[in-house]
Amino acid sequence: LGTDVFDEAVRSTCDVASHCKRYAISVGYWKDPYIEYFVSHPKERKAPEISRGYYARVQGVGRLLKAFLEKTKCNCQIINLGAGMDTLFWKLKDENLLPMKYFEIDFPSIVSRKIHYIKSKPPLSKPIMESHSGETLLIDAHGLDSSRYAIIGGDLRDLPRLEEKLKKCHMDPDLPTLLMTECVLIYMTTEHSTCLIKWVGGMFRSAMFINYEQVNMADRFGQIMIENLQSKQCELVGADACRSLDTQKERFLIHGWETVNALDMLKVYQSLPPDDIKRIEALEFLDEKEPFEQLMQHYCLCWAIKDSQNLGLADVTL
Ligand code: SAM
């Protein structure tokens, strides 16, 4: 695929993620009053395996994120890389858990769309205005910068420009920082994702990097997954597809990160409170457990820590 066609297909994955989330939310897996402003209700049903997988993803990332916010007492910043239509900022505001500043980055065309939704829907714009103080709020089609929320159009493969844009929006390298990539690094070449991990490691004194994505795609089931996804044009898997849990960890460790954990999503799912599992398993009937378990073993949650300020971040766990 040419770069433009590939990038366009990568941008379309943002809709896949938000449709799957919206569907699972409509069935009752978890609550999110904001997703409806970003995506219409999907016409087709999604398989229960998919919704259970999204549930584990949202819970797993959410638990790590809350532990980070607790350790830093919200005196921190969050940078959501490849954020798509993520609604986390609005949910954290409702829970009184906003960090000092929350940044989102995605391709400019995705960002323009998100800004359009924010501008035209008061339930989205009001929380941004409410949390804003001081100077005028900067907003145009390609970016928005307020006191607590910024959204930036850019390319995660162009780090000098990204750094410049983040600094313009008052990103503070001395503030403990949580970076998150949910199904994002897999769409970049190994070289680009490694540069991003290295750049973050060098930029912040105390940081946590949460990465969620496919893993073990080199095995037979993984290959079938890739073919399936590509035939539906719904997800493309980049050069990182052969990563195992060990190589997921290695790329952080060799680039200056101190502690790294990686679990496949079956382990994450099994670590959820038994009452939660019971509740969601009662929502939709699943014929056979095995395909679900196989699918979950092909996604992973990885979190890396760097803690020069001794905040105890290495204790963060699921
Ligand atoms: N993280 C969101 C979520 O979990 O709902 C969206 C996930 S979606 C599968 C991947 C997102 O990463 C898309 O919105 C895509 O545009 C963005 N993305 C991928 N590569 C990127 C790059 N090089 N620069 C900026 N954004 C990128």
Side-chain angles (χ1 to χ4, degrees), residues 15-209:
D15 293 330
V16 177
S18 23
H19 271 115
C20 290
K21 285 182 183 170
R22 170 119 201 224
Y23 183 81
I25 290 159
S26 75
V27 177
Y29 282 85
W30 72 96
K31 289 198 174 77
D32 181 340
Y34 298 101
I35 193 129
E36 66 182 88
Y37 302 116
F38 292 110
V39 58
S40 55
H41 194 278
K43 288 182 190 76
E44 318 130 34
R45 333 184 22 248
K46 308 274 176 201
E49 289 90 335
I50 305 280
S51 296
R52 284 189 194 181
Y54 269 89
Y55 178 76
R57 162 176 171 178
V58 170
Q59 296 302 312
V61 172
R63 285 163 75 175
L64 293 175
L65 175 109
K66 296 254 167 88
F68 180 86
L69 289 169
E70 214 166 281
K71 285 272 179 215
T72 58
K73 302 188 174 59
C74 293
N75 190 22
C76 63
Q77 56 197 356
I78 296 180
I79 308 182
N80 192 337
L81 303 161
M85 298 298 144
D86 206 299
T87 56
L88 187 59
F89 168 80
W90 290 270
K91 290 195 285 178
L92 290 177
K93 163 99 174 42
D94 280 351
E95 291 177 63
N96 230 343
L97 282 176
L98 273 191
M100 298 299 282
K101 191 145 179 178
Y102 182 96
F103 301 84
E104 291 188 337
I105 295 153
D106 211 299
F107 282 121
S109 61
I110 302 282
V111 164
S112 319
R113 221 168 87 200
K114 195 160 185 176
I115 290 179
H116 170 75
Y117 295 141
I118 293 173
K119 280 208 299 201
S120 55
K121 305 188 180 182
L124 297 178
S125 54
K126 230 177 113 215
I128 296 177
M129 303 306 289
E130 278 170 6
S131 58
H132 183 71
S133 59
E135 291 159 33
T136 357
L137 186 148
L138 298 173
I139 182 162
D140 61 29
H142 314 291
L144 183 166
D145 186 25
S146 72
S147 315
R148 308 294 284 276
Y149 174 78
I151 176 164
I152 299 167
D155 190 331
L156 299 171
R157 296 165 297 188
D158 183 355
L159 296 170
R161 289 207 61 200
L162 190 66
E163 182 173 331
E164 189 189 307
K165 288 176 184 179
L166 279 163
K167 286 190 170 155
K168 233 172 133 187
C169 293
H170 311 288
M171 174 194 74
D172 179 358
D174 291 330
L175 210 53
T177 301
L178 173 67
L179 296 113
M180 41 198 294
T181 45
E182 266 189 74
C183 280
V184 175
L185 298 184
I186 195 96
Y187 302 111
M188 295 163 71
T189 61
T190 305
E191 198 193 356
H192 283 128
S193 57
T194 304
C195 282
L196 182 65
I197 285 168
K198 204 167 144 188
W199 172 79
V200 174
M203 171 68 62
F204 302 102
R205 290 169 63 208
S206 294
M208 176 157 110
F209 197 125

Side-chain angles (χ1 to χ4, degrees), residues 209-212 248-249 252 260-263 300-304:
F209 197 125
I210 304 179
N211 179 42
Y212 168 89
Q248 283 279 355
K249 290 201 259 189
F252 284 96
V260 191
N261 301 277
L263 290 176
C300 74
L301 188 58
C302 175
W303 64 105

